[in-house]
Amino acid sequence: MAKVKTTFFCQNCGAQYAKWQGQCTSCKEWNTIAEEVIQKPEKSSWKTQSSTTKRVSKPLKINEIDTSQEARLNMQDEELNRVLGGGMVNGSLTLLGGEPGIGKSTLLLQIALKLPYKTLYVSGEESQKQIKMRAQRINPNGENCYILTETKTQNIFKQIESVEPDIVIIDSIQTLHSDYIESSAGSISQIKECTTELIKFAKETSTPVLLIGHITKDGHIAGPKILEHMVDTVLQFEGDRNHVFRILRANKNRFGSTNELGIYEMQGSGLREVSNPSEILISEKDGELSGNAIAATIEGMRPLMIEVQALVSTAVYGTPQRSATGFNAKRLNMLLAVLEKRAGFRLGAKDVFLNITGGITVDDPAIDLAVVAAILSSNEDVDLPRDYCFAAEVGLSGEIRPVQRVEQRILEAEKLGFSTIFVSKYNKISLLKPKIKIQLISRIEDLTSFII
Ligand code: TYD
Ligand code: MG
């Protein structure tokens, strides 16, 4: 019997060691190194009978390279197409990561059911019956969708050879295992080997492959970092599980920009594409309410109007509470300090709660001004007109700073019927006769004169 070959892998970053050690020298994590059995096969190939002909690639002049192979498959889903950069490139490998229960399986099953191409959906997590039950809720048709429950890559490839699908979906990469490696499914060496086999299959047959990947507690894709380097595109599906909105972004894309964003709404019958998110994120209210302000933000390439809610109340305990949902708590403290110092508000004895509605998290600094406006409005208990919106960053000395792509924000606000937008005086705006009133301000004190 051949000697069993083992090696040690860091379960956090995938670094390989000959011996066990307490700390990983590459990522500095403790107790992450585990022994895994590996067995190098003579030849690992995705085909069952290894009939691969040796192809030697030759250098070609760049303008002689044929790019017609890079044809894209239309995924029948506007949001996904946009995030992928116009559809899925043939022979590409895409990894979709996201928290458990966020809707990764739902999204890909829904797409598999809609596609007019022959699609093979391989699941290592659910049975065919379970998938069928879910499919009936989403879309009872789906004539081109084949479901396979299998976790061994060699068996999957055997079925692929007989079904000959145009696109393959794997749910999830962590459940797969290959005969060539002895360690258990989900281990670093298994994930690496299965991905390598899938890449070989995708490239040799020009079939696009979509993989679902689990993520770790801190939001990274589980498995070796190298997995993200191996695939062509890494998509992230995120959102708050208690809310209905889900955002799809590209963290890496070899065939398009990473600035695009897809927005979905989780419904009883699957995920619905949201093409006009601003109209949904802003709640319909009859009267004006204090503490609510609307920010004209940009997520990726898309303008998005977002509602910010603040509640300022007298602190019951000695240390006032500050809490922010969907917004950086440190930044909230900074804005409060600026308000205190520059605009003379005594917020030190007040509790401040901030919430971005819709369960989304915003990084765009242009939301600062809306946060300040919401806080001021709640503190003074005065209502802000519902047709005001804000787009500017607030600096440490209370100056209102310009933001990028302000014209796009103004146009979106105008389209949605806002009457006034507050932006920085230092933004260069060359719009011809906008219908919306553009209120230029340069200091935080200026804002108080408008809203209080
Ligand atoms: P799922 O796709 O199983 O999540 P993941 O694969 O990312 O772990 O999504 C599960 C959640 O989605 C589940 O909590 C129920 C919800 N859901 C709906 O709200 N509507 C639907 O039509 C479906 C299929 C699921
Ligand atoms: Mg799932």
Side-chain angles (χ1 to χ4, degrees):
M1 206 182 110
K3 196 167 166 257
V4 179
K5 247 186 154 181
T6 66
T7 188
F8 294 83
F9 284 106
C10 167
Q11 303 295 314
N12 184 46
C13 70
Q16 192 175 353
Y17 297 94
K19 278 194 307 191
W20 186 85
Q21 59 192 58
Q23 187 187 23
C24 170
T25 15
S26 125
C27 70
K28 307 279 180 275
E29 282 292 318
W30 287 92
N31 293 328
T32 54
I33 297 181
E35 187 173 17
E36 290 183 12
V37 182
I38 53 161
Q39 211 171 52
K40 268 276 156 230
E42 312 273 281
K43 213 184 282 162
S44 92
S45 162
W46 68 272
K47 287 216 169 169
T48 33
Q49 317 90 354
S50 53
S51 61
T52 40
T53 47
K54 273 222 165 123
R55 265 188 294 147
V56 183
S57 58
K58 270 191 304 181
L60 281 178
K61 272 196 187 165
I62 189 142
N63 42 15
E64 284 172 5
I65 298 174
D66 179 19
T67 49
S68 59
Q69 276 258 315
E70 214 94 303
R72 290 176 187 259
L73 284 186
N74 179 354
M75 303 302 286
Q76 312 290 319
D77 181 301
E78 281 294 308
E79 305 291 301
L80 180 64
N81 276 343
R82 170 149 19 84
V83 175
L84 289 171
M88 238 184 137
V89 173
N90 279 332
S92 70
L93 216 73
T94 302
L95 180 66
L96 172 71
E99 280 181 32
I102 204 78
K104 303 179 293 296
S105 309
T106 308
L107 177 67
L108 294 193
L109 180 64
Q110 170 173 338
I111 283 161
L113 294 170
K114 248 197 295 189
L115 284 178
Y117 326 107
K118 208 191 262 184
T119 312
L120 181 66
Y121 184 99
V122 184
S123 179
E125 308 210 327
E126 287 156 287
S127 69
Q128 278 161 319
K129 258 202 199 124
Q130 276 174 313
I131 300 173
K132 169 87 191 195
M133 264 153 55
R134 185 195 297 237
Q136 274 172 336
R137 283 171 58 186
I138 302 174
N139 178 355
N141 304 325
E143 301 124 23
N144 300 308
C145 180
Y146 291 76
I147 307 285
L148 172 69
T149 44
E150 179 59 67
T151 53
K152 197 154 103 181
T153 53
Q154 280 73 26
N155 292 351
I156 295 174
F157 291 130
K158 216 183 275 173
Q159 297 307 326
I160 286 179
E161 277 180 275
S162 68
V163 175
E164 296 187 334
D166 297 315
I167 174 163
V168 177
I169 296 172
I170 309 265
D171 185 4
S172 64
I173 182 73
Q174 278 86 4
T175 56
L176 292 194
H177 67 98
S178 165
D179 268 351
Y180 296 126
I181 301 271
E182 299 238 323
S183 58
S184 59
S187 64
I188 304 274
S189 42
Q190 278 293 5
I191 294 180
K192 254 194 209 167
E193 172 64 25
C194 296
T195 315
T196 313
E197 287 176 21
L198 285 166
I199 289 181
K200 273 190 198 156
F201 156 73
K203 304 286 172 216
E204 281 175 26
T205 60
S206 269
T207 311
V209 178
L210 265 161
L211 299 174
I212 288 181
H214 295 165
I215 62 169
T216 57
K217 264 189 289 174
D218 43 355
H220 297 117
I221 298 205
K225 200 75 193 146
I226 194 170
L227 180 61
E228 289 175 47
H229 295 293
M230 287 161 94
V231 300
D232 298 303
T233 307
V234 180
L235 304 180
Q236 180 106 15
F237 205 36
E238 54 189 45
D240 185 336
R241 244 190 307 162
N242 301 324
H243 286 85
V244 291
F245 293 107
R246 303 282 183 270
I247 293 181
L248 183 70
R249 332 171 175 265
N251 285 349
K252 161 184 173 180
N253 193 351
R254 286 193 182 142
F255 312 109
S257 124
T258 50
N259 282 332
E260 291 292 359
L261 192 85
I263 302 179
Y264 294 90
E265 186 184 355
M266 181 63 97
Q267 293 185 332
S269 55
L271 290 152
R272 187 179 73 84
E273 300 167 38
V274 177
S275 44
N276 53 350
S278 301
E279 285 175 19
I280 292 166
L281 288 173
I282 300 171
S283 51
E284 294 281 331
K285 286 195 191 78
D286 297 335
E288 291 162 352
L289 288 173
S290 71
N292 284 12
I294 289 158
T297 65
I298 294 219
E299 273 289 317
M301 301 290 280
R302 292 171 87 175
L304 208 61
M305 306 301 282
I306 286 174
E307 187 168 340
V308 180
Q309 296 184 318
L311 177 67
V312 179
S313 64
T314 313
V316 183
Y317 304 108
T319 343
Q321 293 188 65
R322 265 84 218 260
S323 135
T325 315
F327 186 73
N328 187 332
K330 285 203 179 118
R331 188 138 190 107
L332 171 64
N333 280 332
M334 187 212 94
L335 292 176
L336 291 175
V338 172
L339 272 176
E340 179 115 31
K341 174 110 181 163
R342 305 284 164 194
F345 284 95
R346 298 271 151 257
L347 288 160
K350 300 275 175 86
D351 289 340
V352 179
F353 304 96
L354 191 80
N355 180 33
I356 309 288
T357 55
I360 36 185
T361 303
V362 185
D363 291 330
D364 185 359
I367 198 171
D368 283 359
L369 195 59
V371 170
V372 167
I375 293 170
L376 288 178
S377 151
S378 176
N379 189 47
E380 300 291 324
D381 206 13
V382 287
D383 307 336
L384 282 178
R386 291 291 292 169
D387 53 359
Y388 277 17
C389 63
F390 305 84
E393 189 179 341
V394 175
L396 282 183
S397 54
E399 80 275 22
I400 307 294
R401 300 165 63 96
V403 287
Q404 47 145 341
R405 288 194 270 145
V406 72
E407 293 181 356
Q408 209 181 336
R409 301 173 200 258
I410 295 174
L411 290 175
E412 175 79 1
E414 184 178 270
K415 199 174 82 190
L416 293 173
F418 285 88
S419 71
T420 310
I421 181 165
F422 288 79
V423 295
S424 166
K425 198 169 123 188
Y426 307 107
N427 259 123
K428 300 231 166 358
I429 301 163
S430 51
L431 290 176
L432 287 175
K433 289 197 199 140
K435 271 203 254 88
I436 186 168
K437 181 170 176 213
I438 301 171
Q439 191 67 57
L440 301 172
I441 53 174
S442 61
R443 307 201 51 77
I444 214 166
E445 297 91 307
D446 301 348
L447 180 67
T448 52
S449 63
F450 281 106
I451 61 176
I452 296 175

PDB file of all heavy atoms in Angstrom, residues 99-107 134 137-138 171 266-270, ligand 1:
ATOM      1  N   GLU A  99     -23.751  35.168   3.335  1.00  0.00           N
ATOM      2  CA  GLU A  99     -24.081  34.540   4.617  1.00  0.00           C
ATOM      3  C   GLU A  99     -25.108  33.433   4.433  1.00  0.00           C
ATOM      4  O   GLU A  99     -25.883  33.467   3.483  1.00  0.00           O
ATOM      5  CB  GLU A  99     -24.688  35.592   5.546  1.00  0.00           C
ATOM      6  CG  GLU A  99     -23.677  36.467   6.187  1.00  0.00           C
ATOM      7  CD  GLU A  99     -24.328  37.461   7.113  1.00  0.00           C
ATOM      8  OE1 GLU A  99     -25.365  37.143   7.699  1.00  0.00           O
ATOM      9  OE2 GLU A  99     -23.778  38.567   7.227  1.00  0.00           O
ATOM     10  N   PRO A 100     -25.161  32.482   5.362  1.00  0.00           N
ATOM     11  CA  PRO A 100     -26.192  31.442   5.245  1.00  0.00           C
ATOM     12  C   PRO A 100     -27.596  32.040   5.323  1.00  0.00           C
ATOM     13  O   PRO A 100     -27.824  32.971   6.102  1.00  0.00           O
ATOM     14  CB  PRO A 100     -25.916  30.520   6.437  1.00  0.00           C
ATOM     15  CG  PRO A 100     -24.942  31.224   7.290  1.00  0.00           C
ATOM     16  CD  PRO A 100     -24.240  32.233   6.467  1.00  0.00           C
ATOM     17  N   GLY A 101     -28.462  31.569   4.474  1.00  0.00           N
ATOM     18  CA  GLY A 101     -29.853  32.018   4.517  1.00  0.00           C
ATOM     19  C   GLY A 101     -30.114  33.334   3.829  1.00  0.00           C
ATOM     20  O   GLY A 101     -31.229  33.842   3.851  1.00  0.00           O
ATOM     21  N   ILE A 102     -29.128  33.879   3.165  1.00  0.00           N
ATOM     22  CA  ILE A 102     -29.308  35.193   2.553  1.00  0.00           C
ATOM     23  C   ILE A 102     -30.043  35.057   1.210  1.00  0.00           C
ATOM     24  O   ILE A 102     -30.693  35.984   0.745  1.00  0.00           O
ATOM     25  CB  ILE A 102     -27.937  35.906   2.401  1.00  0.00           C
ATOM     26  CG1 ILE A 102     -28.102  37.412   2.332  1.00  0.00           C
ATOM     27  CG2 ILE A 102     -27.155  35.424   1.215  1.00  0.00           C
ATOM     28  CD1 ILE A 102     -28.332  38.038   3.651  1.00  0.00           C
ATOM     29  N   GLY A 103     -29.952  33.868   0.601  1.00  0.00           N
ATOM     30  CA  GLY A 103     -30.688  33.637  -0.644  1.00  0.00           C
ATOM     31  C   GLY A 103     -29.824  33.261  -1.830  1.00  0.00           C
ATOM     32  O   GLY A 103     -30.247  33.426  -2.976  1.00  0.00           O
ATOM     33  N   LYS A 104     -28.635  32.720  -1.581  1.00  0.00           N
ATOM     34  CA  LYS A 104     -27.741  32.342  -2.688  1.00  0.00           C
ATOM     35  C   LYS A 104     -28.352  31.220  -3.517  1.00  0.00           C
ATOM     36  O   LYS A 104     -28.423  31.299  -4.746  1.00  0.00           O
ATOM     37  CB  LYS A 104     -26.372  31.869  -2.159  1.00  0.00           C
ATOM     38  CG  LYS A 104     -25.667  32.873  -1.314  1.00  0.00           C
ATOM     39  CD  LYS A 104     -24.342  32.338  -0.804  1.00  0.00           C
ATOM     40  CE  LYS A 104     -24.465  31.191   0.177  1.00  0.00           C
ATOM     41  NZ  LYS A 104     -25.122  31.517   1.440  1.00  0.00           N
ATOM     42  N   SER A 105     -28.822  30.168  -2.823  1.00  0.00           N
ATOM     43  CA  SER A 105     -29.402  29.033  -3.551  1.00  0.00           C
ATOM     44  C   SER A 105     -30.655  29.480  -4.291  1.00  0.00           C
ATOM     45  O   SER A 105     -30.893  29.075  -5.428  1.00  0.00           O
ATOM     46  CB  SER A 105     -29.773  27.909  -2.594  1.00  0.00           C
ATOM     47  OG  SER A 105     -28.704  27.590  -1.768  1.00  0.00           O
ATOM     48  N   THR A 106     -31.456  30.337  -3.641  1.00  0.00           N
ATOM     49  CA  THR A 106     -32.681  30.827  -4.276  1.00  0.00           C
ATOM     50  C   THR A 106     -32.351  31.585  -5.554  1.00  0.00           C
ATOM     51  O   THR A 106     -32.967  31.366  -6.598  1.00  0.00           O
ATOM     52  CB  THR A 106     -33.441  31.745  -3.299  1.00  0.00           C
ATOM     53  OG1 THR A 106     -33.596  31.057  -2.080  1.00  0.00           O
ATOM     54  CG2 THR A 106     -34.788  32.154  -3.845  1.00  0.00           C
ATOM     55  N   LEU A 107     -31.360  32.464  -5.487  1.00  0.00           N
ATOM     56  CA  LEU A 107     -31.005  33.279  -6.655  1.00  0.00           C
ATOM     57  C   LEU A 107     -30.560  32.402  -7.817  1.00  0.00           C
ATOM     58  O   LEU A 107     -31.050  32.546  -8.943  1.00  0.00           O
ATOM     59  CB  LEU A 107     -29.885  34.267  -6.276  1.00  0.00           C
ATOM     60  CG  LEU A 107     -29.371  35.137  -7.411  1.00  0.00           C
ATOM     61  CD1 LEU A 107     -30.443  36.111  -7.868  1.00  0.00           C
ATOM     62  CD2 LEU A 107     -28.119  35.906  -7.021  1.00  0.00           C
ATOM     63  N   ARG A 134     -38.856  23.995  -3.660  1.00  0.00           N
ATOM     64  CA  ARG A 134     -38.489  25.401  -3.736  1.00  0.00           C
ATOM     65  C   ARG A 134     -38.739  25.944  -5.152  1.00  0.00           C
ATOM     66  O   ARG A 134     -39.260  27.036  -5.332  1.00  0.00           O
ATOM     67  CB  ARG A 134     -37.008  25.546  -3.397  1.00  0.00           C
ATOM     68  CG  ARG A 134     -36.552  26.980  -3.325  1.00  0.00           C
ATOM     69  CD  ARG A 134     -35.062  27.056  -3.346  1.00  0.00           C
ATOM     70  NE  ARG A 134     -34.475  26.397  -2.194  1.00  0.00           N
ATOM     71  CZ  ARG A 134     -33.663  27.021  -1.343  1.00  0.00           C
ATOM     72  NH1 ARG A 134     -33.373  28.271  -1.526  1.00  0.00           N
ATOM     73  NH2 ARG A 134     -33.136  26.369  -0.343  1.00  0.00           N
ATOM     74  N   ARG A 137     -42.242  27.001  -5.920  1.00  0.00           N
ATOM     75  CA  ARG A 137     -42.631  28.310  -5.396  1.00  0.00           C
ATOM     76  C   ARG A 137     -42.141  29.424  -6.294  1.00  0.00           C
ATOM     77  O   ARG A 137     -42.763  30.462  -6.416  1.00  0.00           O
ATOM     78  CB  ARG A 137     -42.032  28.512  -3.999  1.00  0.00           C
ATOM     79  CG  ARG A 137     -42.771  27.757  -2.957  1.00  0.00           C
ATOM     80  CD  ARG A 137     -42.036  27.793  -1.657  1.00  0.00           C
ATOM     81  NE  ARG A 137     -41.804  29.142  -1.159  1.00  0.00           N
ATOM     82  CZ  ARG A 137     -41.071  29.392  -0.082  1.00  0.00           C
ATOM     83  NH1 ARG A 137     -40.502  28.411   0.553  1.00  0.00           N
ATOM     84  NH2 ARG A 137     -40.919  30.625   0.328  1.00  0.00           N
ATOM     85  N   ILE A 138     -40.970  29.202  -6.889  1.00  0.00           N
ATOM     86  CA  ILE A 138     -40.354  30.280  -7.656  1.00  0.00           C
ATOM     87  C   ILE A 138     -40.896  30.338  -9.077  1.00  0.00           C
ATOM     88  O   ILE A 138     -41.335  31.370  -9.563  1.00  0.00           O
ATOM     89  CB  ILE A 138     -38.817  30.105  -7.689  1.00  0.00           C
ATOM     90  CG1 ILE A 138     -38.265  30.069  -6.269  1.00  0.00           C
ATOM     91  CG2 ILE A 138     -38.164  31.219  -8.483  1.00  0.00           C
ATOM     92  CD1 ILE A 138     -36.801  29.752  -6.199  1.00  0.00           C
ATOM     93  N   ASP A 171     -23.801  24.059  -5.935  1.00  0.00           N
ATOM     94  CA  ASP A 171     -24.217  24.557  -4.626  1.00  0.00           C
ATOM     95  C   ASP A 171     -23.757  23.550  -3.585  1.00  0.00           C
ATOM     96  O   ASP A 171     -24.393  22.537  -3.383  1.00  0.00           O
ATOM     97  CB  ASP A 171     -25.751  24.694  -4.612  1.00  0.00           C
ATOM     98  CG  ASP A 171     -26.266  25.329  -3.339  1.00  0.00           C
ATOM     99  OD1 ASP A 171     -25.441  25.729  -2.523  1.00  0.00           O
ATOM    100  OD2 ASP A 171     -27.500  25.421  -3.184  1.00  0.00           O
ATOM    101  N   MET A 266     -36.511  40.131  -1.600  1.00  0.00           N
ATOM    102  CA  MET A 266     -36.911  38.753  -1.305  1.00  0.00           C
ATOM    103  C   MET A 266     -38.414  38.698  -1.094  1.00  0.00           C
ATOM    104  O   MET A 266     -38.952  39.415  -0.256  1.00  0.00           O
ATOM    105  CB  MET A 266     -36.153  38.272  -0.070  1.00  0.00           C
ATOM    106  CG  MET A 266     -36.453  36.852   0.329  1.00  0.00           C
ATOM    107  SD  MET A 266     -35.991  35.613  -0.883  1.00  0.00           S
ATOM    108  CE  MET A 266     -34.415  35.064  -0.288  1.00  0.00           C
ATOM    109  N   GLN A 267     -39.064  37.863  -1.889  1.00  0.00           N
ATOM    110  CA  GLN A 267     -40.517  37.732  -1.753  1.00  0.00           C
ATOM    111  C   GLN A 267     -40.863  36.284  -1.494  1.00  0.00           C
ATOM    112  O   GLN A 267     -39.998  35.424  -1.519  1.00  0.00           O
ATOM    113  CB  GLN A 267     -41.180  38.186  -3.054  1.00  0.00           C
ATOM    114  CG  GLN A 267     -41.010  39.662  -3.302  1.00  0.00           C
ATOM    115  CD  GLN A 267     -41.769  40.099  -4.534  1.00  0.00           C
ATOM    116  OE1 GLN A 267     -41.972  39.306  -5.441  1.00  0.00           O
ATOM    117  NE2 GLN A 267     -42.159  41.349  -4.581  1.00  0.00           N
ATOM    118  N   GLY A 268     -42.132  36.025  -1.292  1.00  0.00           N
ATOM    119  CA  GLY A 268     -42.576  34.655  -1.060  1.00  0.00           C
ATOM    120  C   GLY A 268     -42.293  33.756  -2.244  1.00  0.00           C
ATOM    121  O   GLY A 268     -42.135  32.551  -2.111  1.00  0.00           O
ATOM    122  N   SER A 269     -42.218  34.336  -3.419  1.00  0.00           N
ATOM    123  CA  SER A 269     -41.986  33.527  -4.610  1.00  0.00           C
ATOM    124  C   SER A 269     -40.629  33.835  -5.219  1.00  0.00           C
ATOM    125  O   SER A 269     -40.500  34.019  -6.410  1.00  0.00           O
ATOM    126  CB  SER A 269     -43.083  33.810  -5.622  1.00  0.00           C
ATOM    127  OG  SER A 269     -43.114  35.199  -5.861  1.00  0.00           O
ATOM    128  N   GLY A 270     -39.634  33.935  -4.391  1.00  0.00           N
ATOM    129  CA  GLY A 270     -38.276  34.136  -4.891  1.00  0.00           C
ATOM    130  C   GLY A 270     -37.825  35.583  -4.855  1.00  0.00           C
ATOM    131  O   GLY A 270     -38.446  36.414  -4.191  1.00  0.00           O
TER     132      GLY A 270
HETATM  133  P1  TYD B   1     -31.456  30.234   0.612  1.00  0.00           P
HETATM  134  O1  TYD B   1     -31.420  30.496  -0.839  1.00  0.00           O
HETATM  135  O2  TYD B   1     -31.677  28.840   1.069  1.00  0.00           O
HETATM  136  O3  TYD B   1     -30.152  30.794   1.320  1.00  0.00           O
HETATM  137  P2  TYD B   1     -28.626  30.350   1.138  1.00  0.00           P
HETATM  138  O4  TYD B   1     -28.530  29.392   0.024  1.00  0.00           O
HETATM  139  O5  TYD B   1     -27.907  31.658   0.908  1.00  0.00           O
HETATM  140  O6  TYD B   1     -28.237  29.772   2.465  1.00  0.00           O
HETATM  141  O7  TYD B   1     -32.545  31.230   1.213  1.00  0.00           O
HETATM  142  C1  TYD B   1     -33.244  30.916   2.288  1.00  0.00           C
HETATM  143  C2  TYD B   1     -34.135  32.007   2.738  1.00  0.00           C
HETATM  144  O8  TYD B   1     -34.869  32.650   1.728  1.00  0.00           O
HETATM  145  C3  TYD B   1     -35.123  31.377   3.653  1.00  0.00           C
HETATM  146  O9  TYD B   1     -34.933  31.933   4.932  1.00  0.00           O
HETATM  147  C4  TYD B   1     -36.465  31.669   3.110  1.00  0.00           C
HETATM  148  C5  TYD B   1     -36.243  32.709   2.072  1.00  0.00           C
HETATM  149  N1  TYD B   1     -37.075  32.522   0.877  1.00  0.00           N
HETATM  150  C6  TYD B   1     -38.107  33.405   0.639  1.00  0.00           C
HETATM  151  O10 TYD B   1     -38.363  34.338   1.402  1.00  0.00           O
HETATM  152  N2  TYD B   1     -38.870  33.239  -0.502  1.00  0.00           N
HETATM  153  C7  TYD B   1     -38.634  32.237  -1.378  1.00  0.00           C
HETATM  154  O11 TYD B   1     -39.347  32.122  -2.407  1.00  0.00           O
HETATM  155  C8  TYD B   1     -37.578  31.323  -1.103  1.00  0.00           C
HETATM  156  C9  TYD B   1     -37.301  30.194  -2.034  1.00  0.00           C
HETATM  157  C10 TYD B   1     -36.820  31.506   0.025  1.00  0.00           C
END
